[in-house]
Amino acid sequence: MEHEQIERAVARRSAALYLPISIGAALAFWLAASLVGGYPPVAQIGGAVWVGILSLIVSMPMVTARVKRRAPAP
Amino acid sequence: MTANTRTLSLPVQGMSCASCVAHVERALRELPGVETVAVNLATNKASLTYDPGRATLRDMAHAVDGVGYAVPTAELTLDVRGMTCASCVAHVEGALKEVEGVTTATVNLGLGTARVSFIPGVATAGQMKRAVHDAGYEALERSQGADALDRERQAREEEIRRQGRNLLIAGSIGLIVMIGTFYDMLGPLKALVPEWLSYKWVIGLLTTPIVLGPGRQFFTNSWRGLKHGVTDMNLLYATGIGAAYGIAVINTLFPTAGFGGEGATFFESAALLTAFIILGRWLEALTRGRTSEAIRKLMKLQPKIARVVRDGREAEVPADEVEVGDLILVRPGEGVPVDGTVTDGYSAVDESMLTGESLPVEKKAGDNVIGGTLNKTGAFRFTAGRVGADTALAQIIQLVENAQASKAPIQKLADWVAGHFILGVHMLAGAVFIFWFFFGYRMFFDPNSSFILSPYKLGEIGVFGFSLLLSVTVLVISCPCAVGLATPSAMMAGTGKAAEHGVLFKSAEAIENASKLETIVFDKTGTLTKGEPSVTEVVVSGQWAWAPESQAQAQEGLEDRLLRLGAVTERNSEHPLGEAIVRGAEARGLVLVEPESFNSIPGHGVEARVEGKSVLLGNRKLMRERGVDFGGLMPQAERLEAEGKTVMFVAVEGQPAGLIAVADTLKDDSPEAIRRLHKLGIEVAMITGDNRRTAEAIARQVGIERVLAEVLPQDKAAEVKKLQALGKKVAMVGDGVNDAPALAQADVGMAIGSGTDVAKETGDVILIKDDLRDVVVALEVAKATMRKVKQNLFWAFIYNVLGIPLGAGLFYPFMALVISPELAGLLMAVSSVTVTLNTLLLKGFKPSLRRENKAQRGMGMASSQLAPAAGD
């Protein structure tokens, strides 16, 4: 039971970190594409989504593993 | 390892790549009480040392489960006899739960059964039955309970079936998708294919069951890992398939949305990518089990039934229920169920499966028999000496399993690379996407460009579709799945192959080290030599006047007469040299009578009265003290001593009669072993406590140039260390307790099977037979295995090294060609299969000694067949 609670806390704390990172990366891409100009809106949005997904995939395990290491042992 | 630690081989399910290995290792290592962890992808096992007081199996299973994998359990039903009430239920359940590896035990009093859930390989049916027996009840295994071997085979067959089913669905529908996609290019074959098959929505409908059916495993597995903060190969596939399918759906449903429209639907990519990845998994499942065939062969050797003679009656009992001291009958053609000593009967036993010895070994009363060997001709009875986990076969299996679960240094590096690869690949995929989105497409895109090995033009694909295509291809082509298999599969095949030839490597590191050896140090006594002195020469003095007293004596030569007198004199002596003389006389068939009187002269020799004559036998000092002049025989005595032999002087009636030379003789196979090692370019040294003259004499006979003489037992390790300090990779071959420190100090310690338990415990390699030529076998197998490891790593990485730049579009500006995701998937499947097939080639490996023996036997047979023909 205690173990599950810790797992949930780790998941919550990790999400609070990797979601902003991924959304931030996606927004940065969208902003760059807008500033460069010449891209159809769909390409801008699609690109931002793809960059967001890749950022999520990269940051999710890294952040979760780090938060888990710092969490108290069950 | 401390006194409180235990070792455990824990099965782990769900691992598919080297990064999985890293995740499981980390999860287990983080548990309090776990000291060391090594996970082997090829065997799907984690080898641990842990403190049972601090870490439990439940913790370990939970930790493995926590990172998205599973510790498999099996179930077994036992018929329990003797239970009468509810408290019996608690007793039996308690006893079963005490067995390490049992996760749950539920006893049904009414049915008289116990349903046990346990971790295969950790707990055995025999242990459970013993636990129930010790609690005061009797348990019998129900016939449907399959053993660990069968369960392993069943699990493998189930995986092959599952992936085969997936392949059939993905492959067959994928083929239709491909035909539909390339409809316009079918030319005259178009007439055979309905046009509606080329409609995008039809292709989409056909692709959907592939992605959601056979392809679902990649999404569920990667999501399970991501939730726990781990990434593996499944994630690469899921991202690749998911992106290709998602964009294709959008472009089909909303062609004007700007993702490239109908010209950029990647349904065939999603379908064929899934099919090719599953093809790889299926082939891998098919071939992976074959690399561990050796261990399965060993396990199969264990007979299931033993004929135990109890109260004069013969009864068939399960082999794992045989107890020490049981009398067992073995008939011709039957297997020997456990280890023991023959009490009566005579037969020839085939021990080749355990020792590699090709000829059957004769067995008579007093000889030892090994469980798992095959009785050939006669019948015999023997007393069980070692049973269950103590038998030689069980220990060999354990050693081979441990070696296969261990990791070579080269593998640790490969695992580290693969473990960090996945995230790196996703970052690279992101970088590739950004480059082609912002720069590449604008600068280099050519609408006439096409996919490699495909006439399919990229056409109207937009900047997003093109960048995404290359990004997805990088994800798929970078999969390091073959890297995770490269080393463990070769190590498994290598340790198994070595075991087939009577050489047991205790770890993968021992194989790697053995392949790099430059110097081998042999202990002398008991290793190069037989370890017991024997008579080598008898020299009769010309001054010895002797008149035969009987017809028998008249027929006896002078040498035999002298030896017989010496042997009778020494008959009551317990000195090893005296025993050697007695054995020497017996070997010549001489009849030994009791001496009329006997007197031992400590440190000098013995004197006795034999056939009415006084006989004095001993060293030079004794003769000098008794005033016997051996001046005429001194040149011969000195020559013999220079050859490393111990010379005994024999005087009869105060007159010099002759010399008997005794020496520890070389084993028959020692010179050949040394010659073969020299041929391999290995420097060979001999280490001994003997004086230099004796040591050099032996070394000369065996062909060793480097002699480390007069080395005290405690200094042997220091001598090995000195050689290592010269930068050499050193192996030590020994058999005794005093060799143990040197065996431990050496890069590879090789213990001879006939040696002491301490030596075998300390050594990294055990030579089952007492044959030094197996040192050569060990080296050849180690070199062949490491060659295979390096080839495998080459094949595993070369696809990635060449594929990644190709997939990232590095050559696109010059060639206007891109690699499609499905071709990338096919390349990765080929990579895994190449590695596994390359490993399987090791199955055909034969050490030079066996090859030559076989060739010689073949020539012998040919010449014996030719001989009568010539006579005709």
Side-chain angles (χ1 to χ4, degrees):
Chain A
M1 220 36 210
E2 195 193 351
H3 181 83
E4 282 168 19
Q5 281 171 354
I6 292 172
E7 287 274 294
R8 269 201 295 272
V10 166
R12 266 199 309 272
R13 225 171 301 156
S14 309
L17 288 169
Y18 62 68
L19 283 177
I21 292 172
S22 315
I23 293 168
L27 282 175
F29 179 89
W30 179 77
L31 203 65
S34 306
L35 287 174
V36 171
Y39 294 103
V42 174
Q44 286 178 30
I45 295 165
V49 169
W50 182 240
V51 169
I53 290 172
L54 290 179
S55 307
L56 184 74
I57 289 169
V58 172
S59 60
M60 198 173 169
M62 285 168 83
V63 170
T64 309
R66 187 158 293 192
V67 171
K68 208 180 211 174
R69 270 202 297 277
R70 290 184 182 172
Chain B
M1 208 165 80
T2 61
N4 291 331
T5 54
R6 272 192 211 166
T7 57
L8 173 71
S9 183
L10 192 72
V12 179
Q13 256 179 358
M15 295 190 293
S16 58
C17 61
S19 61
C20 307
V21 170
H23 300 320
V24 174
E25 279 184 353
R26 199 172 57 213
L28 288 169
R29 203 174 289 123
E30 281 172 2
L31 284 176
V34 172
E35 291 184 0
T36 61
V37 187
V39 175
N40 185 312
L41 176 64
T43 55
N44 283 325
K45 277 184 180 165
S47 188
L48 305 108
T49 55
Y50 71 105
D51 178 355
R54 295 172 63 211
T56 64
L57 269 172
R58 202 170 159 270
D59 297 333
M60 293 173 205
H62 199 262
V64 171
D65 191 50
V67 286
Y69 306 93
V71 174
T73 54
E75 289 207 332
L76 174 77
T77 303
L78 295 172
D79 285 322
V80 183
R81 291 178 192 162
M83 293 190 296
T84 53
C85 61
S87 67
C88 299
V89 172
H91 288 155
V92 174
E93 281 185 353
L96 286 168
K97 283 176 185 167
E98 283 288 304
V99 177
E100 190 178 26
V102 169
T103 50
T104 61
T106 313
V107 172
N108 185 318
L109 182 63
L111 294 173
T113 59
R115 185 102 186 121
V116 191
S117 175
F118 65 102
I119 300 172
V122 180
T124 64
Q127 288 171 328
M128 294 176 219
K129 283 187 272 184
R130 268 192 291 279
V132 174
H133 176 80
D134 293 345
Y137 307 89
E138 285 306 322
L140 290 171
E141 195 178 343
R142 285 214 159 167
S143 54
Q144 69 264 33
D147 61 14
L149 179 63
D150 291 339
R151 270 192 297 275
E152 189 209 332
R153 201 191 63 236
Q154 279 167 8
R156 197 163 58 86
E157 283 173 357
E158 174 54 35
E159 175 66 6
I160 294 170
R161 263 198 305 275
R162 193 170 72 92
Q163 296 300 1
R165 214 166 33 233
N166 285 336
L167 181 64
L168 191 70
I169 298 168
S172 53
I173 304 179
L175 190 68
I176 300 170
V177 168
M178 200 171 73
I179 292 169
T181 306
F182 297 111
Y183 178 80
D184 293 337
M185 295 157 198
L186 291 178
L189 293 174
K190 256 185 183 177
L192 302 171
V193 180
E195 193 186 349
W196 51 263
L197 206 59
S198 66
Y199 299 162
K200 291 294 171 194
W201 63 271
V202 174
I203 293 173
L205 277 180
L206 287 169
T207 304
T208 304
I210 298 178
V211 174
L212 300 182
R216 196 181 55 203
Q217 55 180 314
F218 306 122
F219 295 95
T220 51
N221 290 345
S222 54
W223 176 243
R224 201 176 53 187
L226 274 176
K227 272 198 306 185
H228 294 97
V230 297
T231 52
D232 60 15
M233 310 294 172
N234 291 301
L235 187 60
L236 292 175
Y237 299 143
T239 329
I241 296 166
Y245 180 74
I247 293 299
V249 169
I250 292 172
N251 280 340
T252 304
L253 297 179
F254 311 103
T256 55
F259 282 98
E262 288 207 338
T265 54
F266 303 123
F267 281 125
E268 82 289 355
S269 291
L272 295 179
L273 177 56
T274 311
F276 285 138
I277 295 166
I278 290 170
L279 172 71
R281 289 265 162 110
W282 178 71
L283 288 171
E284 204 180 298
L286 209 61
T287 49
R288 200 195 272 190
R290 292 193 187 155
T291 56
S292 61
E293 224 162 57
I295 195 95
R296 245 188 297 279
K297 271 189 204 162
L298 283 172
M299 284 176 166
K300 276 183 186 164
L301 291 178
Q302 175 76 59
K304 289 194 165 39
I305 297 291
R307 291 180 198 281
V308 178
V309 183
R310 283 176 184 156
D311 304 324
R313 281 194 303 189
E314 195 184 305
E316 284 189 2
V317 302
D320 65 350
E321 287 179 16
V322 172
E323 288 173 9
V324 173
D326 274 346
L327 188 64
I328 297 161
L329 172 68
V330 185
R331 290 183 178 149
E334 288 180 349
V336 178
V338 294
D339 297 357
T341 309
V342 177
T343 54
D344 56 275
Y346 177 83
S347 185
V349 174
D350 179 2
E351 295 185 343
S352 60
M353 55 290 279
L354 291 183
T355 63
E357 175 60 59
S358 53
L359 295 174
V361 182
E362 288 182 16
K363 297 289 174 187
K364 56 186 185 306
D367 287 343
N368 291 329
V369 285
I370 314 169
T373 54
L374 185 68
N375 181 27
K376 301 289 274 188
T377 50
F380 63 89
R381 293 198 296 181
F382 74 98
T383 312
R386 287 190 297 189
V387 299
D390 296 329
T391 61
L393 177 62
Q395 287 177 357
I396 288 170
I397 290 169
Q398 187 63 49
L399 276 176
V400 176
E401 275 189 339
N402 288 347
Q404 293 185 340
S406 69
K407 270 185 192 180
I410 196 170
Q411 189 184 341
K412 288 177 187 162
L413 178 69
D415 282 355
W416 185 89
V417 171
H420 289 77
F421 209 63
I422 312 282
L423 287 183
V425 166
H426 277 89
M427 288 180 195
L428 181 67
V432 165
F433 179 79
I434 289 168
F435 171 80
W436 285 100
F437 190 91
F438 287 112
F439 313 103
Y441 184 83
R442 202 170 296 167
M443 292 162 71
F444 306 114
F445 181 71
D446 174 3
N448 288 320
S449 54
S450 59
F451 290 113
I452 292 174
L453 299 177
S454 162
Y456 192 47
K457 300 278 181 214
L458 291 174
E460 59 193 87
I461 192 168
V463 60
F464 171 67
F466 185 71
S467 309
L468 183 72
L469 179 76
L470 294 179
S471 182
V472 166
T473 305
V474 166
L475 286 177
V476 176
I477 211 163
S478 305
C479 175
C481 33
V483 178
L485 275 179
T487 311
S489 64
M491 286 294 174
M492 282 176 69
T495 45
K497 181 55 70 181
E500 269 177 36
H501 293 288
V503 176
L504 301 178
F505 282 96
K506 282 194 189 167
S507 66
E509 193 173 355
I511 290 198
E512 189 170 341
N513 286 341
S515 72
K516 295 176 186 163
L517 287 176
E518 295 163 287
T519 303
I520 299 185
V521 181
F522 284 90
D523 164 54
K524 192 200 91 171
T525 311
T527 303
L528 283 170
T529 65
K530 289 174 183 162
E532 54 176 34
S534 54
V535 173
T536 58
E537 258 157 311
V538 179
V539 180
V540 180
S541 166
Q543 298 171 296
W544 189 29
W546 169 69
E549 291 167 2
S550 65
Q551 183 68 24
Q553 283 183 10
Q555 286 171 353
E556 194 178 44
L558 273 178
E559 273 189 21
D560 283 354
R561 164 81 171 155
L562 182 68
L563 186 60
R564 189 169 59 80
L565 282 178
V568 172
T569 308
E570 290 277 13
R571 197 161 182 197
N572 296 317
S573 162
E574 287 178 356
H575 194 280
L577 295 177
E579 288 172 350
I581 293 174
V582 173
R583 274 198 308 274
E586 284 171 347
R588 291 192 188 193
L590 303 176
V591 180
L592 304 183
V593 293
E594 278 295 319
E596 288 138 30
S597 67
F598 172 79
N599 179 34
S600 171
I601 310 161
H604 291 83
V606 291
E607 61 183 331
R609 200 149 187 91
V610 182
E611 296 166 4
K613 292 185 171 62
S614 72
V615 181
L616 188 66
L617 192 153
N619 58 20
R620 196 182 303 216
K621 199 175 166 202
L622 176 69
M623 298 302 155
R624 213 166 27 235
E625 282 174 9
R626 297 293 177 97
V628 185
D629 180 16
F630 268 88
L633 288 175
M634 283 326 279
Q636 283 102 316
E638 279 164 12
R639 176 184 59 82
L640 291 168
E641 281 171 347
E643 287 170 7
K645 293 165 184 166
T646 304
V647 179
M648 316 279 279
F649 295 80
V650 188
V652 179
E653 293 287 296
Q655 294 302 311
L659 311 171
I660 300 175
V662 172
D664 184 6
T665 50
L666 285 174
K667 287 178 185 169
D668 297 339
D669 46 54
S670 294
E672 191 189 346
I674 305 302
R675 190 175 51 76
R676 284 176 180 272
L677 286 173
H678 281 149
K679 215 169 152 188
L680 287 176
I682 303 283
E683 181 195 22
V684 184
M686 185 183 84
I687 198 164
T688 176
D690 288 358
N691 65 63
R692 180 153 290 278
R693 195 169 62 170
T694 309
E696 282 179 349
I698 289 283
R700 261 197 310 278
Q701 287 175 43
V702 78
I704 292 177
E705 319 84 33
R706 188 169 193 151
V707 180
L708 308 168
E710 293 163 25
V711 181
L712 295 173
Q714 62 268 32
D715 295 334
K716 283 184 178 176
E719 289 295 329
V720 170
K721 212 171 179 176
K722 276 186 205 163
L723 289 169
Q724 288 171 318
L726 298 173
K728 295 178 174 179
K729 284 267 177 198
V730 182
M732 167 79 197
V733 186
D735 70 326
V737 175
N738 62 1
D739 297 324
L743 289 172
Q745 173 62 40
D747 296 292
V748 180
M750 295 191 187
I752 295 177
S754 60
T756 59
D757 287 346
V758 179
K760 284 187 269 184
E761 191 75 25
T762 318
D764 305 298
V765 181
I766 295 176
L767 312 176
I768 298 178
K769 276 179 297 167
D770 195 6
D771 186 340
L772 282 190
R773 291 175 301 177
D774 284 347
V775 173
V776 185
V777 172
L779 258 60
E780 287 181 349
V781 171
K783 281 176 191 285
T785 305
M786 287 313 294
R787 257 199 313 274
K788 207 48 77 183
V789 166
K790 285 171 189 166
Q791 286 168 7
N792 281 354
L793 285 174
F794 169 81
W795 284 115
F797 277 116
I798 195 71
Y799 285 94
N800 297 118
V801 168
L802 297 179
I804 291 174
L806 206 62
L810 198 67
F811 304 113
Y812 180 78
F814 319 107
M815 304 189 304
L817 284 170
V818 287
I819 193 163
S820 61
E822 61 266 35
L823 186 57
L826 178 65
L827 280 177
M828 288 306 100
V830 170
S831 154
S832 287
V833 174
T834 310
V835 162
T836 319
L837 289 179
N838 188 45
T839 294
L840 288 179
L841 291 179
L842 200 57
K843 286 175 75 179
F845 172 81
K846 273 198 170 62
S848 62
L849 181 72
R850 309 279 187 269
R851 272 200 312 269
E852 286 165 24
N853 283 351
K854 202 173 171 188
Q856 277 167 7
R857 276 204 300 274
M859 282 171 69
M861 278 176 69
S863 57
S864 66
Q865 283 165 355
L866 283 171
D872 292 341

